[in-house]
Amino acid sequence: GIITLILATDMARHAEILDSFKEKMENFDYTNEEHMTCLKMVLIKCCDISNEVRPMEVAEPWVDCLLEEYFMQVRVKERCNCTISPF
């Protein structure tokens, strides 16, 4: 379950996840595991992008960490001759 939620933060799947959630909303069933997983995926996405609404002194250190992680991943992918995602 944790891996599914982490992968839900991948912006390449953003539209797919939101469309799935919108389909389930009309008849959302809290006892349905698939519905609950979809809800969790949307919630983790909200948490993932929430930094943009925080005060600058809180948000900026997190942006620095994010950029450091991104460029570190790019260097690893370059060494492995892997495709580098623009996101």
Side-chain angles (χ1 to χ4, degrees), residues 22-77:
K22 288 175 188 175
E23 288 174 11
K24 292 170 178 55
M25 279 184 60
E26 192 171 312
N27 297 308
F28 196 85
D29 179 1
Y30 288 95
T31 63
N32 182 315
E33 190 172 333
E34 183 182 338
H35 287 206
M36 289 303 294
T37 298
C38 192
L39 174 61
K40 291 174 192 176
M41 290 168 72
V42 169
L43 290 173
I44 199 82
K45 290 178 78 46
C46 291
C47 293
D48 188 45
I49 62 173
S50 69
N51 201 47
E52 296 178 13
V53 297
R54 294 193 170 124
M56 185 62 77
E57 63 273 5
V58 174
E60 196 167 90
W62 287 105
V63 170
D64 292 341
C65 290
L66 179 67
L67 290 172
E68 183 180 333
E69 179 184 356
Y70 173 76
F71 288 112
M72 193 170 20
Q73 287 178 0
V74 167
R75 287 191 294 274
V76 169
K77 287 183 176 187

